[in-house]
Structures are given as structure tokens and as C-alpha cells.
Amino acid sequence: MSETLSTKEKILATSLDLFAEKGFEGTSVDMIAAAIGIKGPSLYKHFKGKAEILDALITKVSGYYTTKFEDSGHLAHRDHRTDDLPRSIEELIHSTFARINFTMHDETVQKMRRFLTIEQFRNSRIAELANFHSYEGLHQRFSKLFTALMKTGLLVEGDANIMALEFIAPVSLMIQSYDRDPSKEKEIVKKIKAHLKHFGDTYGKQ
């Protein structure tokens, strides 16, 4: 059983590498098998084909990202977990930047983001997933967060949906810029931090 699980993990990890480099259509089952040192037919003992590999990969990486994203913004000095609301603008900025930093630099997330970028114009399912992770999911999350922070008095009253859009859109664009040219990391990080500070100065009540 452990050998089977190990082989499945190798198939998923290798598939992500190849999908991120060559795209889904540009990667064959034989290429995946060869990269991990098994014959093509042996791969079918674990997955029925590329579509099933993709399903498993999406499930695995989505779960990984959700867990790591939450943990990366955890306020370590608190007695509770990340579902606690920030108690100051500084905490909001700190926890948000930690999550941005994770999103930018985690190797698995980087590869999946590259794959989604390549495939989003070829596959409607991938397009929906890319849109969720780069916009819809984050927008929902921060809309709810800002609504709650208005009630606690941390943020000024306003339209939480618009505030969330203002908050996430520049960051999403800057992460895309980083993906295209990692050599500009220092400049991009500086802009992200300035953006977060500006948001806090504009909407914070403390």
C-alpha cells in the first residue's frame, strides 16, 4: 500500500512539473511515466489517464493551498487560530503580507499558478479554477473579513465588496508581474507593502 501511495505521489508531483512547463495538452502519459522511471502502461494501474491525474492534482493542490494559506497568516501570539479577526491595522497588514509571501514563493503553488495561466484559455474548467484563485475566492474572503472588521470598528464604514476589490486587485497583478520576472522581486514586494499600508491608512480607524 505504501509503495502504491508513493507512486501516486510521484505521478502527481511529476505531472505538475510537466503541466507547468508544457501545459496539459503538451504532456503525454508516456512523458509522465518516463520522467518517474516507469513504463506508460504501469501508470494506468494508478490513474485511468491524464484527466484523472488532473482531477487528483487539483484536489491535492487546492487542499494544500487552503491549509498553507491559512497557516501562513496565523497570528502566532494568539491563543486561537486564524479565524480570529485582526485587532489592529498592523495585524491585518502583517497577516495579509505573510499570506501573499507564501503565495508568491511556495514552489507547489507557483507551479500550479503557472499551469493555470497556460491552460486557462484552452480549458473552461481550468479557466474557472484560475479565476477563483486569482479573484473570486479572494474577493469573497476579504469582503466577509472587511464586513466583520467594520462591525468591530477597525475599518471605516463602506462598501465591503469595493474595498475588497481595491485590496486584492493590485496584489494579484503584482504577483503576476513577479511570475513573469522574478528578478523584480524586491521592487514588487516594496510596492505590495506600500499598497497594504495605503489601504490601512485610507480605511483604518485606528
Side-chain angles (χ1 to χ4, degrees):
M1 178 67 73
S2 60
E3 182 178 351
T4 300
L5 290 175
S6 177
T7 301
K8 280 190 172 184
E9 291 299 315
K10 288 179 181 178
I11 291 171
L12 292 176
T14 301
S15 296
L16 180 57
D17 288 342
L18 291 171
F19 290 167
E21 178 184 353
K22 303 177 183 297
F24 183 74
E25 296 300 330
T27 302
S28 68
V29 168
D30 286 341
M31 290 168 62
I32 297 169
I36 60 176
I38 63 175
K39 295 182 178 180
S42 298
L43 186 145
Y44 291 102
K45 296 178 182 178
H46 308 284
F47 296 98
K48 294 178 181 178
K50 281 200 305 177
E52 189 169 273
I53 292 174
L54 179 59
D55 288 341
L57 190 59
I58 288 173
T59 298
K60 178 181 174 62
V61 176
S62 293
Y64 171 86
Y65 179 75
T66 298
T67 299
K68 293 290 185 178
F69 184 84
E70 291 295 335
D71 288 346
S72 63
H74 175 46
L75 300 170
H77 62 282
R78 294 289 187 80
D79 294 330
H80 303 291
R81 291 185 58 80
T82 54
D83 54 358
D84 278 359
L85 295 175
R87 297 173 186 168
S88 68
I89 294 299
E90 290 73 22
E91 281 192 353
L92 172 64
I93 292 173
H94 175 77
S95 62
T96 300
F97 181 75
R99 289 175 172 135
I100 293 170
N101 188 59
F102 158 73
T103 300
M104 286 177 63
H105 297 106
D106 184 87
E107 187 176 3
T108 297
V109 175
Q110 282 183 316
K111 290 176 182 177
M112 193 64 177
R113 188 165 61 245
R114 191 177 303 124
F115 167 55
L116 295 179
T117 300
I118 292 172
E119 291 297 323
Q120 62 184 324
F121 300 109
R122 304 172 183 171
N123 183 310
S124 59
R125 182 186 176 200
I126 296 299
E128 291 179 2
L129 190 64
N131 193 47
F132 179 81
H133 284 291
S134 65
Y135 167 61
E136 288 182 350
L138 291 172
H139 186 253
Q140 292 171 11
R141 174 190 179 86
F142 282 100
S143 292
K144 291 178 180 178
L145 174 62
F146 293 160
T147 297
L149 293 181
M150 288 178 201
K151 293 179 180 178
T152 67
L154 190 66
L155 297 180
V156 298
E157 292 293 329
D159 187 326
N161 288 320
I162 297 299
M163 290 169 65
L165 183 60
E166 291 180 7
F167 194 65
I168 66 172
V171 174
S172 181
L173 288 173
M174 284 184 273
I175 290 176
Q176 292 175 37
S177 180
Y178 167 75
D179 286 342
R180 288 189 290 268
D181 188 358
S183 70
K184 294 182 178 179
E185 177 181 356
K186 289 185 179 180
E187 175 187 344
I188 290 169
V189 167
K190 184 178 179 180
K191 288 180 179 178
I192 290 174
K193 287 183 175 180
H195 165 64
L196 297 179
K197 182 179 184 303
H198 173 74
F199 183 90
D201 290 343
T202 302
Y203 292 109
K205 291 181 69 173
Q206 296 183 5

